[in-house]
Amino acid sequence: MEQLEQRITSMELCELINELRVEEKGEEAKVLMHKELMKKIRKELEIIEKLGLNNERNISLVKYKDKKGELRPCYSLNASGMRQILNSESTYVRVKTEEYIAKLEKENNKLKEI
């Protein structure tokens, strides 16, 4: 039986980060562009590879359809991958994201019971 796992795309993560930044700082919150998040993830993956560490499929390259219907690259992250990328975010964003991850893990456990 295939093991199911809850994952989030870099597009969804970018939206979540921006929502939490606005919750924390209001209108003066700095908006994170998806291309900036992609650059940050690529750098993280380069460092992991350079150090000879195992990514263990925490972050994988996938595609999504944009508003024009064109396929664009993005990343798919599991809970560990999200934590890796969120290290540079504020304490508020990290704590709130941990709450979100806990929710995903609970849903993941339900999927495993099916």
Side-chain angles (χ1 to χ4, degrees):
M1 180 179 205
E2 184 180 327
Q3 193 171 15
L4 300 173
E5 175 184 50
Q6 287 285 354
R7 296 181 73 87
I8 188 171
T9 66
S10 53
M11 290 291 294
E12 295 165 324
L13 182 57
C14 190
E15 289 174 17
L16 178 62
I17 289 169
N18 284 325
E19 287 173 20
L20 294 173
R21 284 180 174 186
V22 169
E23 268 182 34
E24 178 184 21
K25 296 186 178 177
E27 295 299 316
E28 57 196 54
K30 182 181 182 228
V31 175
L32 176 65
M33 302 298 293
H34 183 248
K35 66 181 180 180
E36 294 167 345
L37 182 59
M38 291 284 289
K39 184 177 178 182
K40 183 177 179 179
I41 293 171
R42 278 192 297 273
K43 182 171 177 122
E44 181 81 7
L45 292 174
E46 287 172 11
I47 293 169
I48 288 169
E49 185 177 333
K50 194 178 283 186
L51 294 173
L53 301 173
N54 187 354
N55 182 30
E56 298 179 10
R57 295 187 31 101
N58 293 337
I59 304 170
S60 54
L61 188 61
V62 296
K63 295 185 181 198
Y64 75 98
K65 275 190 181 177
D66 67 10
K67 294 175 185 174
K68 297 178 186 175
E70 297 176 3
L71 288 177
R72 303 276 184 209
C74 73
Y75 288 97
S76 173
L77 302 94
N78 65 12
S80 294
M82 287 176 66
R83 287 181 184 104
Q84 281 175 247
I85 300 306
L86 290 164
N87 279 332
S88 64
E89 289 295 323
S90 70
T91 301
Y92 180 87
V93 171
R94 288 193 320 269
V95 168
K96 288 296 192 175
T97 305
E98 280 299 325
E99 291 172 4
Y100 180 82
I101 290 170
K103 178 183 160 196
L104 286 180
E105 288 175 338
K106 186 176 180 180
E107 290 174 13
N108 193 34
N109 288 333
K110 286 181 185 177
L111 287 174
K112 288 178 183 177
E113 293 172 5
I114 296 176

